Each structure stands twice: as structure tokens, then as C-alpha cells.
């Protein structure tokens, strides 16, 4: 019969939709992977930037020495002479992931190098993240929205910036872990299944392993739970979604060495415990309400409220006491600067000196999430139609992540998935409405709608939902042409039909308007795609250790960093210590395999301040500091010859600030002329005599005769000078990296100078006392 | 130069040793080429047999300190009296330890193809190549200095035989000559120093000469070079060469100033070398030049039909004592290097390094044959150390056999072809693709099986039965849902027929529609009955049952109202009542219908969610 045929057809259509959705997902995965390969194609398969080099080095160690040595690894090649306990201070998720991928491949006799695996870990995991987004959005708003969101996430520039091939950083896997944890939470919330709750705790554990951003999860989920309780949406599903997560998750988190007891001791985690208590109280109340008669319940409420108040007071008191007992109120510096955006610049120059910890500018929003910024509000509206537990979570997610991204550029990364999910919902709903309106109004479609329905719906991104709905739609379709002919009674019919149809079918827009809107939406999507491809190809693919510039005679490659590191690696003793500003620490240990004094881990402010002080001191004092640290080579990055802006002279004020923060004789005003930082003839003598200046500009004047610095766009102040305690041992092709060696102390001359020195010092001391106010070092 | 005197003393002791055989070197012409870092000595020996017995071997003598740097020695035999005429053929050479010879000498014996009879003579061409024989002096220089090296040898030809007539010429690079030993009859012509001719020297005569001169040719020495040649029968020979390179000239001391180097590279950095040229075979493709921290961008590649030239520039200019390491790789077409003969395949490829003037201290050549190769044998033009390994590579099961050849002190003269013979079955080629195909096949089969097999542990457990029951209930509810939706669509059709009626006034058509729908509705309600009965009987459905029943009741009510409305309207049309009138009559019904419809839809949605 027709009816059974109908149901058969809808079954086939659903199956077809499922297969189609599967293939779309596969393609989305391919897209997410391949859009990130620009860096490999345009440059080469190489690890990027700074932190990835550390991760790469750790992975190499892991694959070479095994997991137990990895946990116990004490690295004596950094932070000389302190060293660093790597196993206990690193988030191991990324390294373990890449290490196990490498291990699996090698046990299958696929001999990929560790480097190759590391380079391609991020693209692989962004494909995973896109699939996780699909799952999450599907739980919230159905398959169509899920596919759209996954497609958007596959190419959102903000995420691309952290996950191009070679960008082997924690964020690459952490975003996947974040989305997947949220998906499992929502899934548990929707199903109330303990199975998913357990998986959720494991996913949370993976997230804790991967990234410090796990605190976002452990604060956002309690917030959502609280929101649900407050809005009267408490259910047993909510309890199952939350309680196991806190218990298992905290236990698992404490297993990660870098977190350890922080999982129960720091304020970042307290919110979850508080909500854990609250949800139990609420659960108790609901239970009692169920077993008591209303009258008894009233009595019980008064009893519980009074007891509960006491308990709450006690808990709050304990919490306050705990929090107050720690100096930072239990919050780490980075978290505090999240809550109070001005905190870092006030107290921790080392956090403030990192560009990715600055607040973003408006253009960077457009750059990083592009048209999603406009679609998000529509998505929020769609989430309220109707509001479910899941959609309220998404709304909460976007609101908090917008705030955090406003504090730190880096956290734009957390915003991106939320923006994609909401934009996916918005786009999918919009397409849903518009295509349906068109279908109602296209007369030709009415007859063969049954056959075409599957195809037309699949051509829009929405598949399954529509396929299921087509049954309902057909009925309305059939009456449509007849209605069109009766224009006189149109109003009347509309009234009745509106009332007789389901609410969902109310949103019928005029044909022309919906066609135009679809066209505009497609245009918007096309613009987004173009922008994302551009961002992936041009903006975010540069590995930053290799620079290129296009000149009239073709591509010019600046490979100076690796030139210098390779020189250090092959032409210095294996135990020589190299001092440089901390930015280059990870690269030096990984690429040059030499011991460094400070690196990008920045765990010891004093040590960094010592190097900063040395760099900002005059030669002699700097030599003494370096010599006391057993340093043999000093490496500076200098962009003045070719115009490379992020060189050490431009970072120099931070060295002064950080150095001055610990050693008060370094004072920032000494390096500034009228509050301005300059290196030309107007610069202060302190500036012109400090080590950084001298090492950067040594014999620079002889290149062009004028010593014109192309970064600062000025002629430098002091052009002709000699180094007495350092000698140049290597300078790269474009002068971007200069390496100096500390001259050994001269024994015989010292005896001679001892007399003259005392004389000289007596003479200079008078000079010194005259200048003392300006600078203690002169 | 103390050791020169030691040598002298040793050799004086040596001079008194008796003559070995009756051979006489009637003419010796030696040319020493010092223009590169390798020392090439070409000697033309005219050998005469003055004794009675035929002689089948000629001995060549080298002092021990020189011999340890000896990299290459070949002797070729020229037929005929005329110079430059006739075919040359190389002769077998081996180390011998003849009795009664002085201790500090090493002897090589050249076997002649046929015995040299009494009074006969022949001409031997001997090429000897030494490495590390140019000693930088001074040992350390600054960036601005030129590199000076010292070379020492004997002015007279060192031989166990009497030498009648000899001459020596030393060719130096076109540069300054710091000093050289003057013997009698010494003169310089341009960059050449000529010694001799000298006549009638007894066996083992030795007169040391030392040449001290400027030498700025690259002293590139590969301390180790590992060449891996991997054969793929899919059409490619992949060569990877790992270099550990050092500038073995005078050590650089003091500062390195890039400024000076860039401003006057030939003065400040004269001894440094910036690039090397590798001559690769023609049709080499996929060439790369990397080191452990990534691609090295300073390389150029050009090629024609005869060769491919790769100019590589290490990351930094190589000054004395500086080291670097890198690797280059390239693919070669299989048909150019792999041949078949007598049921065996053989690879025919060069042994040495493709770079000019690179001396290799230790060369390891690994030939990776495809998995499943058997009966492997190697034929090399000179003696090499040789063993076998296995290597596990892409999807291998037992591993690929690897032939490893090792040789120390390799110079460009060693760049000769060698052959690796093996047997290989073509079917083994398909092993890996088949493995992959079957792997994926089994993966899919497992997926299909997993999807179709009930994996629950116990078929009788309570929860399993519950689950089954619940699935049945769900199916039933789904059916109810479908039926109700179909009812609703029939209602919609009725409504549509009413509207048609309003437009056309065709009461008959409307009634026909009514009749059809009545029949359908009846059938549907029939279908509904057993489902409801099932739901009522099932304990699983207890929760949902009230809703379903409510739904069915509401739907029935709706149906009745709709029928009523339909009859009313149809009747009114029959009675030709006005539109307004009809509307008034059905207004109240219409409201109820709308309300009911709303409720039914809500209930449907509710059930749908379950």
C-alpha cells in the first residue's frame, strides 16, 4: 500500500541520509587535514616556532627511552645550573599521543620519523576535533547543525593558527579533547547513561593531560549544572552527568604529575566541589519531596534549610580559610590575569611580555573567526527556540569563552569551537527555514516532491532532519498550489492554515526573499571559505624559524636561525652553555643540543632576571654574570640588517623590566630618553653601553658606513666600539643571529692592571659618583 | 720537522739491503699532483729483466707512514714499445711480505700477465692516491690567513730495484710556494717543480723532499658517509647519503667575522669552502638536501641528458676544523640500474660518493633489496668489508635483506660500478598490496559482523529481556505514531476537499473524497486495534500507555468533529447556502477542531521524542 511504501521510502531516505552524512564527515575530516598542509607545501615539513620544539624534543626522548624514563626525566640541559624535572612539569598528553602514534606505526613497520609524526599530529587531531564538533552539535540541535558546525570548525582560522602541520603544541590535541569532553557531557545529560558519564571522566582526564586549559572545563560544567538547578531543570540525568565527572575526574586529574594535588588544593577547582555539594543537596530535596506528602515536605524544608545553612556556612568558612591561607588566594598567575585582565601587567612582567597573553584587538576577531562573529547571535537565538539543557550549555559556553578571549588572544582558541557550533546551528536553521519556504512555493516541486525530497534536502546541508520531516511537509505542499490560485481568500486560508499547521511550519517566507537569502548565505559561506584558505595559506603557515620575502628577483629565504643552531650543534663542545633571551631556549636545546640558561618554560623568574640583568649591564659586569653561570657563548638575535622586527633590541625593554624586577639597580628609566625607547644618538649612555646594544651592533657600521638600523628606521647612536670581554665567533648570513664567545680571563694582565686598576677605579670612582644618579654601572 | 730525520736514519739503514731480483727499472717517470687535497702520484716504470729467470711479479715499495694513507693503487700494463700506444689493462695488485726486506716498508706486488723473460722489458703505469698527506702548517690560522700545507716524499724513486734513469715533477696549485727542498738538478717551471733527471741509483735510495706551499682548495673530508641504496621493484632506486663532513685543513682560530667574510670572501676566508657539487646520475628525481633540523634551502639543481648536477651549500661556510652533517637523497629510475642475466637480477651502481674532491674516511654502502630476495652475492672492483643485515620497512613481515659494504679511505677514483646479484620472484611484489587489501577487507567484514551480531552475554538475563520488550514496545508505538500521522494526513485531504468544494462547488467530488477517506480511516483504526491491545498487555508500556490512549482518543474525537464539519459543509453546499452562512455554522466546530489538532500534534511530538 501507499502508506507502507511511504514508510519504506522514508527508511531508505534515512539510510541514504546516514550514508551521505558519513561521507560528508569523511570529507570534512579530509578538509580539516588538508587545509593545514599549506605550511608543508609552501615551506617544508618542519616543527614550528618555540614551544613545539620543546614538545618535539620531549617526544624524541619518550620514543627513545620509554615511558618510565620519561616520567623520571631530569633535564640538565636547560635552566643551567638548576635543571628541570620534565616528567613532573609537563602536560604529557600531546607527547604521549604522538609517541603512541609513532609506536603503533613503527610496530606496523611503517618507518615514519618522530618528526614526521609530530608535524602531522595537529592536522590529524583537527580532523578529530571537527568530528567531535559534529557529535556535540548533533546532540544539541540535530545532524544538520552538526555537519555545518563541523565544516565550519574544520577551517576556522583561529584554530588553524594553532594546528597547522608542524605546530606541534598542546592546543592541537587539547581543542579536540575539550570539544569531546563537552560532547560526552551533553550526551550523558541527554541520555542519563553512566557509560557515557565514565567516558566523560576519561575524556576529561585526557584533557587534563593535554592542556592547562582544562580548568575551563572544570569551571564551565559546574556553572552549567548550577544554571540548570537554578532554572529548575534538575533531573537525575543531570546528576549522572555531573557527580561521576567530579569524583572520577578529580581522581584521574590528580594522577597527572603536573597537576597532582592541585586538583583539590587550588581555587580553580573549588567551584566544582561547591556545585558537587549543591547538587547533592538538591538531589536530596527532590528525593524527599518525592516521598513526603506536601505538608510533611514543608516541615522538612524548614528543617533542611536551617541545617543546610549551617553546613553551607561551615563549608564556606573552610573554603575562605583555605583560600586566604595561600598568598595568591589559591589562584595561579595566569588564572588571575584571566579574572583581572590588568593583573599581569601590574605584577608579572614575564606573563605580560608574551604577545599571546595580550588582549586581542577587534580586527583580530574578524581575522580569527571572520563571519562567525555575525552568525553567533543568530545561533544564540536559535538555541532559545526551544531552550533545552544542551542548548543552554552551548549558550553558556559561548558567553564565557567570549569573555576569556577578550582577556587573552590565546584563548580565542576556546572561543572558536563555540562560535562554530553556534554559527552551525544558525546556518542550519536558516537553511532549514529558507529551503522549506522555497519548497512550499515551487509549484513544480509539488508533484515530484516525493522523489525529489531526498535529493533537495541533501543538497542543502540539512539531511536527516528534513528527510524525516518530508512526510509532514508533503501534506502542506499539496495544498499549496490550490491555495495560490485562490488569491482572494488568501488571507483567510492563511489564518486557518497557520493555525492548523504545526508551529514549525509557520515560518514560510516569500519565495523571492528566501532565494535571495539563500544566495546571500551561500555568498557569506563562500567568503568565509575564501578567508579561511587565505588565512591558512598566508597568515598562519609560516614556521617562524624560516622566513621568506618576495623581492623582484624571486623568493628569498632567511634561514638564519637554523644556520646558527646548526653551527652551535656541530662546532661547539657538547657541554658548552649558551646564554640567550628565554625565547630561544627551547630551540637551542632542541636544534643545537646545547645547554641553555633559561628557556620558554619561564618557571624561575630570578634566573630569567639574571640573564636580563646581564643583557642590560655593561660588558664587564655582564661578563662577570655570565662567567659565574659558566656560560661560554652568548646568542643574540639582531634584525637591523634585514629588517626583522622581532629581534632582541625590540624585546630589550622586557629584559630590563624583568631584570629590574629582581635586581633593583637595573632601572627602566635609565634606558629611556624622556620615556621613549631609542637607539639613535639621543639614546641614553646606559642604553648605548649595555651588552645587548654592543652585541647587536658590533661592527654594524662597517656594513653600509652609516649604521642604519632597518627595524628602528634610524642611525644607531654609538657606531664604533670594540668588545673587550667577548669575541664574535659566528654571525649568520643575514646577521640575524650573532654568537659571541666569552673571552677567558687574562691572568698575566690582571697582575699588571691590579695596580692601575686601583688607580683607575679611584679615578673613575670620582666620575662614577658624579654620574651615580643616572646609572650605577657607569 | 723532527720526524724527517728519523725517517732518514731508518732509510739509511735500509739502503744496505741486497737486491731482490734481477729486475732493473730502466726508466722511471713520476708526476705528483698536489692541486687538490688528495695526492695523486702517477709513475711510469719501464721494467727490464736483466737476470736469467723469467719474472712474473714486480714489487712496489712504500714507506709505512705513507702507506697508511694510501687510498688507491692501480697498475696497468702497456703493451708495445711506443708511448701512449696499445691497450692498457690493469693488473692485480696485492700486499706481500717478502723475506729479508727492511722493516719500515710495505710492499705491493704487481702480477704480470705473463712472465718477463730475459732481456725483455715492459712499461707499467702505476697510479697511487694518498689522502691526508698534505699537512697544514701552521696548524691553526685566522680567518685572514691563507692555508699553507706541507708535502713530503722522496726525491728518488723508492724501489727494491736499481733505477737507471728517473725524473720527478711536482705539480702545485697556481699559488705561492713557500719553500721546497732543493736537490741537484731542481728547477721550477710555473707552478711545477722538476727534479732530475737522475741516473743510476741503487735499490732503496731515498732522499726526502719537502714542499711547503699555499693550498686553498677545499679540504672536505667526510668522516663518515653512509649510502643507502634501496631498490623498489615498482620502478625506483632510492639513494640516501648521510654525510659527516669536516674541513680537514688548518684549524681556524680566533674570531669569525661575517662582515669580513662577506666583504672579501676570497681574502678573508680563502681556505673556507662554501659549496660542493654532486654529480648525480641522469634522470635523478625527487632530490632533497636536509639535515636533522630540516631542509637546507641553499642548493641548486640542474641537469641534462648525461648528468644531473646538484650544488649543495652547507648551512654555513666551512672554515678549518668546522664540522657539519647533512644528508642528500634522490630517486633513480629502476631500468637504468637494474638488469637481468641468467635468471638473476643485478644492480649495477657506483660505489663512491658523487661529490668531487671529497675524501671519505669511512664509507658504508648499504644495498636494501626487496623483501623476498634470495641468493645474494656481491662483486666489487676492489676489496671491501662485507656483511648482511635485515631492515624492516614499510609493512614488511620478515624484513628486507641488506648488503652492507664498508671501505675506509675512499677517494674519487673509487667511484666505480659494483654489482649486487640476487634472485627475486615477481609475485612477491604483490604481497604488500594484497596484505593491505585483505586487512581492509577483514576490517569491513568485522564491522559488518559486529553490526549484525547480538553481542549480549546472556540471552535470558532480565535486562536483556527488558530491552527486547522495550524495543517491541517502541516499535509498536512507532506504528501507532505512523497510523495517527496517516489519519491526520487523511484529515488534511478532507480539508482540502472542502476547499476544493468552496472553489468549484462540486459536491459529488467532495462526497467521493469523503467516502474514500472514510474507508481509509476505518482500515487504519482496524490496524490500530491490535497495537493498542499489545501495548495494554505489555508491562513495559505502562508508563507511556496513558499518553498513547489519550492520543488515540483525541484523534478519534478530532475525526468525529471533522466528519461532522465535513457533512455540515457538504450539506450546506447541497442546499446552496451562502459562504458566510456556512462559515458561521462551522465556526464553533472549526475552533474545536483546531484545538484538538493542536493537542494531537503535541502528543505526537511527545511520543516522537520517546
Amino acid at each position: 500500500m501507499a502508506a507502507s511504501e511511504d514508510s519504506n521510502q522514508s527508511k531508505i531516505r534515512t539510510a541514504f541520509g546516514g550514508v551521505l552524512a558519513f561521507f560528508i564527515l569523511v570529507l570534512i575530516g579530509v578538509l580539516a587535514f588538508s587545509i593545514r598542509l599549506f605550511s608543508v607545501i609552501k615551506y617544508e615539513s618542519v616543527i614550528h616556532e618555540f614551544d613545539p620544539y620543546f614538545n618535539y624534543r620531549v617526544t624524541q626522548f619518550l620514543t627513545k627511552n620509554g615511558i618510565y624514563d620519561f616520567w623520571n626525566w631530569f633535564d640538565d640541559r636547560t635552566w643551567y645550573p638548576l635543571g628541570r624535572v620534565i616528567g613532573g612539569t609537563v602536560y604529557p598528553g600531546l607527547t604521549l599521543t604522538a609517541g603512541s602514534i609513532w609506536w603503533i606505526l613503527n610496530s606496523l613497520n611503517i618507518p615514519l620519523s618522530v618528526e614526521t609524526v609530530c608535524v602531522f599530529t595537529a592536522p590529524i587531531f583537527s580532523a578529530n576535533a571537527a568530528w567531535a564538533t559534529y557529535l556535540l552539535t548533533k546532540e544539541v540541535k540535530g545532524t544538520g547543525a552538526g555537519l555545518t558546525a563541523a565544516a565550519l570548525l574544520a577551517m576556522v582560522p583561529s584554530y588553524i593558527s594553532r594546528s597547522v602541520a608542524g605546530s606541534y603544541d598542546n592546543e592541537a590535541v587539547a581543542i579536540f579533547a575539550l570539544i569531546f569532553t563537552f560532547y560526552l557531557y551533553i550526551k550523558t545529560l541527554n541520555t542519563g547513561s553512566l557509560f557515557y558519564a565514565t567516558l566523560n571522566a576519561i575524556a576529561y582526564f585526557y584533557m587534563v593531560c593535554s592542556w592547562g586549559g582544562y580548568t575551563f572545563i572544570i569551571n564551565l560544567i559546574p556553572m552549567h549544572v548550577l544554571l540548570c538547578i537554578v532554572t529548575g531543570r534538575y533531573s537525575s540525568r543531570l546528576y549522572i552527568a555531573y557527580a561521576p565527572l567530579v569524583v572520577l575526574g578529580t581522581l584521574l586529574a590528580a594522577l597527572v604529575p603536573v597537576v597532582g594535588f592541585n586538583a583539590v588544593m587550588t581555587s580553580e577547582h573549588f567551584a566544582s566541589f561547591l556545585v558537587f555539594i549543591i547538587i547533592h543537596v538538591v538531589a536530596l530535596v527532590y528525593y524527599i519531596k518525592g516521598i513526603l506528602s506536601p505538608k510533611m515536605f514543608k516541615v522538612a524544608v524548614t528543617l533542611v534549610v536551617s541545617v543546610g545553612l549551617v553546613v553551607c556556612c561551615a563549608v564556606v568558612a573552610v573554603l575562605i580559610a583555605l583560600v586566604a591561607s595561600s598568598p595568591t588566594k589559591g589562584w595561579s598567575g595566569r588564572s588571575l590575569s584571566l579574572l583581572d585582565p590588568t593583573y599581569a601587567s601590574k605584577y608579572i612582567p614575564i606573563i605580560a611580555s608574551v604577545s599571546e597573553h595580550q588582549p586581542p584587538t577587534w580586527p583580530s576577531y574578524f581575522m580569527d573567526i571572520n563571519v562567525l562573529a555575525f552568525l553567533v547571535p543568530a545561533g544564540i537565538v536559535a538555541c532559545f527556540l526551544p531552550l533545552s539543557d544542551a542548548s543552554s550549555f552551548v549558550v553558556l559556553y559561548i558567553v564565557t569563552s567570549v569573555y576569556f578571549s577578550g582577556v587573552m588572544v590565546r584563548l580565542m582558541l576556546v572561543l572558536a569551537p563555540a562560535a562554530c557550533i553556534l554559527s552551525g546551528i544558525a546556518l542550519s536553521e536558516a537553511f532549514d527555514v529558507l529551503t522549506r519556504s522555497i519548497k512550499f512555493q515551487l509549484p513544480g516541486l509539488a508533484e515530484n516532491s516525493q522523489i525529489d525530497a531526498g535529493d533537495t534536502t541533501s543538497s542543502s546541508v540539512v539531511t536527516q532532519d528534513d528527510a524525516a520531516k518530508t512526510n509532514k511537509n508533503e501534506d502542506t505542499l499539496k495544498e499549496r498550489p490550490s491555495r495560490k490560485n485562490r488569491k482572494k481568500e488568501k488571507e483567510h486560508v492563511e489564518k486557518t492554515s497557520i493555525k492548523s499547521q504545526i508551529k514549525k511550519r509557520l515560518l514560510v517566507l516569500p519565495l523571492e526573499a528566501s532565494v535571495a537569502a539563500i544566495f546571500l548565505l551561500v555568498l557569506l559561506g563562500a567568503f568565509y571559505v575564501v578567508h579561511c584558505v587565505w588565512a591558512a595559506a598566508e597568515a598562519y603557515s609560516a614556521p617562524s624559524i624560516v622566513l621568506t620575502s618576495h623581492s623582484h628577483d624571486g623568493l628569498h629565504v632567511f634561514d638564519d636561525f637554523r644556520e646558527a643552531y646548526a653551527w652551535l650543534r656541530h662546532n661547539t663542545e657538547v657541554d658548552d652553555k649558551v646564554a640567550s633571551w628565554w625565547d630561544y631556549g627551547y630551540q637551542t636545546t632542541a636544534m643545537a643540543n646545547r645547554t641553555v640558561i633559561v628557556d620558554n618554560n619561564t618557571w624561575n623568574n630570578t634566573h630569567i632576571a639574571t640573564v636580563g640583568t646581564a643583557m642590560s649591564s655593561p660588558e664587564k659586569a655582564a661578563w662577570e654574570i655570565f662567567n659565574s653561570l659558566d656560560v661560554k657563548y652568548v646568542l643574540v638575535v639582531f634584525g637591523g640588517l634585514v629588517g626583522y622586527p622581532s629581534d632582541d633590541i625590540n624585546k630589550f625593554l622586557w629584559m630590563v623590566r624583568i631584570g629590574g624586577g629582581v635586581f633593583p639597580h637595573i632601572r627602566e628609566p635609565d634606558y629611556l630618553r624622556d620615556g621613549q625607547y631609542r637607539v639613535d644618538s639621543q639614546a641614553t649612555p646606559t642604553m648605548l653601553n649595555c651588552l645587548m646594544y654592543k652585541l647587536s651592533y658590533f661592527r654594524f657600521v662597517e656594513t653600509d658606513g652609516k649604521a642604519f638600523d632597518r627595524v628602528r628606521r634610524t642611525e644607531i647612536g654609538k657606531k664604533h666600539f670594540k668588545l673587550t670581554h667577548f669575541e664574535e665567533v659566528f654571525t649568520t648570513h643575514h646577521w640575524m643571529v650573532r654568537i659571541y664567545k666569552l673571552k677567558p680571563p687574562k691572568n698575566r694582565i690582571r697582575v699588571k692592571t691590579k695596580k692601575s686598576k686601583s688607580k683607575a677605579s679611584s679615578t673613575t670612582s670620582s666620575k662614577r659618583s658624579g654620574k651615580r644618579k643616572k646609572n650605577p654601572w657607569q | 720537522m723532527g720526524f724527517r730525520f728519523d725517517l732518514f736514519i731508518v732509510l739509511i739503514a735500509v739502503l744496505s739491503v741486497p737486491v731482490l731480483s734481477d729486475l732493473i727499472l730502466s726508466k722511471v717517470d713520476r708526476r705528483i699532483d698536489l692541486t687538490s687535497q688528495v695526492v695523486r702520484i702517477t709513475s711510469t716504470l719501464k721494467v727490464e729483466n736483466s737476470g736469467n729467470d723469467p719474472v712474473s711479479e714486480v714489487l712496489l715499495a712504500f714507506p709505512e707512514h705513507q702507506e697508511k694513507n694510501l687510498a688507491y693503487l692501480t697498475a696497468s700494463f702497456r703493451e708495445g714499445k711506443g708511448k701512449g700506444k696499445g691497450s692498457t689493462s690493469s693488473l692485480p695488485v696485492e700486499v706481500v711480505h717478502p723475506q729479508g726486506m727492511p722493516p719500515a716498508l710495505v710492499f705491493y706486488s704487481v702480477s704480470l700477465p705473463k712472465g718477463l723473460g730475459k732481456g725483455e722489458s715492459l712499461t707499467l703505469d702505476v697510479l697511487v692516491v694518498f689522502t691526508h698527506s698534505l699537512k697544514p702548517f701552521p696548524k691553526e690560522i685566522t680567518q685572514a690567513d691563507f692555508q699553507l700545507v706541507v708535502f713530503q716524499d722522496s726525491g728518488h724513486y723508492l724501489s727494491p730495484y736499481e733505477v737507471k734513469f728517473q725524473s720527478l715533477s711536482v705539480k702545485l696549485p697556481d699559488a705561492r710556494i713557500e719553500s721546497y727542498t732543493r736537490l741537484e738538478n731542481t728547477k721550477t717551471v710555473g707552478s711545477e717543480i722538476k727534479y732530475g733527471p737522475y741516473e743510476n741509483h741503487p735499490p732503496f735510495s731515498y732522499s726526502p723532499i719537502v714542499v711547503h706551499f699555499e693550498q686553498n682548495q677545499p679540504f672536505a673530508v667526510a668522516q663518515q658517509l653512509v649510502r643507502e641504496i634501496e631498490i623498489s621493484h615498482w620502478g625506483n632506486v632510492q639513494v640516501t647519503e648521510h654525510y659527516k663532513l669536516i674541513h680537514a685543513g688548518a684549524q681556524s682560530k680566533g674570531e669569525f667575522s661575517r662582515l669580513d667574510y662577506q666583504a672579501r670572501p676570497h681574502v678573508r676566508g680563502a681556505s673556507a669552502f662554501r659549496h660542493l657539487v654532486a654529480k648525480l646520475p641522469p634522470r635523478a628525481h625527487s632530490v632533497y638536501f636536509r639535515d636533522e633540523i630540516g631542509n637546507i634551502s641553499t642548493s641548486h639543481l640542474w641537469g641534462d641528458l648525461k648528468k644531473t648536477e646538484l650544488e649543495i651549500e652547507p648551512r654555513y661556510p666551512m672554515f678549518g676544523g668546522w664540522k657539519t652533517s647533512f644528508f642528500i637523497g634522490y630517486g633513480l629510475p629502476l631500468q637504468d640500474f637494474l638488469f637481468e642475466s641468467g635468471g638473476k637480477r643485478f644492480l649495477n651502481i657506483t660505489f663512491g660518493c658523487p661529490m668531487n674532491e671529497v675524501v671519505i674516511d669511512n664509507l658504508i654502502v648499504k644495498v636494501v633489496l626487496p623483501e623476498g630476495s634470495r641468493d645474494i652475492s656481491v662483486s666489487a672492483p676492489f676489496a671491501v668489508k662485507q656483511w648482511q643485515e635485515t631492515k624492516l620497512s614499510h609493512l614488511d613481515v620478515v624484513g628486507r635483506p641488506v648488503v652492507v659494504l664498508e671501505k675506509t679511505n675512499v677517494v674519487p677514483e673509487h667511484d666505480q660500478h659494483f654489482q649486487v646479484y640476487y634472485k627475486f620472484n615477481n609475485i612477491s611484489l604483490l604481497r604488500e598490496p594484497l596484505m593491505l587489501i585483505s586487512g581492509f577487507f577483514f576490517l569491513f567484514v568485522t564491522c559488518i559482523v559486529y553490526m549484525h551480531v547480538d553481542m549480549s552475554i546472556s540471552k535470558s538475563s532480565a535486562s536483556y529481556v527488558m530491552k527486547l520488550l522495550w524495543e517491541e514496545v517502541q516499535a509498536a508505538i512507532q506504528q501507532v505514531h505512523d497510523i495517527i500521522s496517516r489519519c491526520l494526513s487523511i484529515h488534511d485531504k478532507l480539508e482540502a476537499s472542502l476547499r476544493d468544494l468552496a472553489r468549484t462547488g462540486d459536491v459529488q467530488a467532495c462526497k467521493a473524497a469523503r467516502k474514500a477517506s472514510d474507508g481509509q480511516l476505518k482500515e487504519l483504526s482496524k490496524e490500530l486495534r491490535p497495537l493498542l491491545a499489545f501495548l495494554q498487555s505489555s508491562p513495559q508500556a505502562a508508563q507511556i500507555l496513558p499518553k498513547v490512549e489519550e492520543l488515540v482518543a483525541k484523534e478519534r474525537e478530532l475525526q468525529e468533529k471533522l466528519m461532522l464539519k465535513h457533512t455540515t459543509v457538504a450539506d450546506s453546499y447541497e442546499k446552496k447556502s451562502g459562504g458566510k452562512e456556512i462559515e458561521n455554522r462551522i465556526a464553533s466546530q472549526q475552533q474545536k477542531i483546531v484545538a484538538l489538532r493542536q493537542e494531537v500534534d503535541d502528543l505526537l511530538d511527545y511520543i516522537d521524542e520517546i
Side-chain angles (χ1 to χ4, degrees), chain B residues 208-255:
Chain B
I209 54 164
V210 173
V211 188
H212 190 198
F213 60 100
E214 184 186 322
Q215 165 66 288
N216 285 318
Q217 291 299 309
F219 270 53
V221 173
Q223 293 176 314
Q224 190 175 42
L225 166 61
V226 180
R227 296 186 78 206
E228 192 176 278
I229 301 162
E230 186 160 358
I231 300 170
S232 160
H233 276 255
W234 294 100
N236 193 30
V237 176
Q238 179 67 35
V239 184
T240 321
E241 301 176 349
H242 294 258
Y243 289 86
K244 262 191 197 165
L245 209 66
I246 187 172
H247 184 300
Q251 294 275 324
S252 148
K253 69 172 179 195
E255 293 200 335

Side-chain angles (χ1 to χ4, degrees), chain A residues 172-310:
Chain A
V173 282
I175 293 303
F176 158 71
L178 180 87
I179 301 171
F180 197 63
T181 312
F182 285 155
Y183 156 68
L184 285 170
Y185 171 68
I186 296 293
K187 183 84 185 173
T188 323
L189 198 57
N190 281 349
T191 57
S193 144
L194 257 178
F195 172 69
Y196 284 111
T198 319
L199 282 189
N200 189 18
I202 291 169
Y204 172 68
F205 173 58
Y206 184 62
M207 177 70 190
V208 177
C209 283
S210 306
W211 195 32
Y214 75 91
T215 46
F216 181 63
I217 295 184
I218 205 60
N219 283 301
L220 182 64
I221 291 181
M223 271 167 79
H224 178 244
V225 171
L226 206 60
L227 184 81
C228 285
I229 291 172
V230 168
T231 51
R233 287 171 162 274
Y234 171 81
S235 63
S236 55
R237 286 174 288 118
L238 187 69
Y239 182 85
I240 290 171
Y242 186 66
L245 174 67
V246 171
V247 177
L248 286 177
T250 306
L251 280 176
L252 287 171
L255 292 180
V256 183
V258 64
V259 177
F261 278 105
N262 284 352
V264 284
M265 305 254 294
T266 55
S267 300
E268 280 98 338
H269 306 80
F270 285 170
S272 61
F273 301 133
L274 195 67
V275 173
F276 187 66
I277 295 166
I278 290 171
I279 198 171
H280 276 94
V281 171
V282 172
L284 191 70
V285 168
Y286 272 83
Y287 176 70
I288 290 169
K289 200 176 176 181
I291 56 169
L292 292 184
S293 63
K295 241 186 207 173
M296 290 286 283
F297 181 67
K298 265 186 187 169
V299 179
V301 163
T302 44
L303 198 80
V304 167
V305 163
S306 49
V307 172
L309 268 181
V310 172

Side-chain angles (χ1 to χ4, degrees), chain B residues 557-565 592-593 596:
Chain B
E557 203 180 337
L558 175 65
Q559 202 174 319
E560 278 163 17
K561 293 275 187 239
L562 197 66
M563 292 301 166
L564 196 61
K565 176 188 161 195
K592 268 185 201 161
I593 288 172
L596 276 174

Side-chain angles (χ1 to χ4, degrees), chain A residues 3 44 109 486 502 559 562-563 566-567 569-571 699 702-703 727-729 731-733 735, chain B residues 255-260 262 292-295 315-316 322-323 325 392-396 486 499 601:
Chain A
E44 56 178 286
N109 281 334
R486 276 195 335 178
I502 300 175
D559 203 358
R562 286 193 295 186
E563 184 182 343
W567 187 85
R569 185 186 189 102
H570 294 295
N571 297 305
R699 297 188 71 186
E702 294 168 52
T703 52
E727 63 176 355
E728 185 185 8
V729 286
T731 297
T732 56
H733 189 245
W735 290 51
Chain B
E255 293 200 335
F256 163 67
S257 168
R258 173 69 69 168
L259 182 81
D260 291 339
Q262 274 172 340
E292 64 261 80
I293 55 176
N295 180 48
R315 289 193 185 274
Y316 37 86
W322 286 15
K323 292 177 205 158
S325 75
L392 284 166
S393 186
H394 295 275
L395 297 171
D396 288 345
R486 258 145 63 196
R499 274 196 296 278
D601 281 344

Side-chain angles (χ1 to χ4, degrees), chain A residues 317-350:
Chain A
V318 167
L319 277 182
I320 288 173
L322 269 178
V323 170
S325 64
S326 86
T328 57
K329 309 277 180 283
W331 294 81
S332 67
R334 267 180 207 161
S335 310
L336 268 183
S337 61
L338 276 183
L339 298 179
D340 172 11
T342 58
Y343 178 83
S345 52
K346 269 191 251 166
Y347 301 110
I348 320 172
I350 243 177

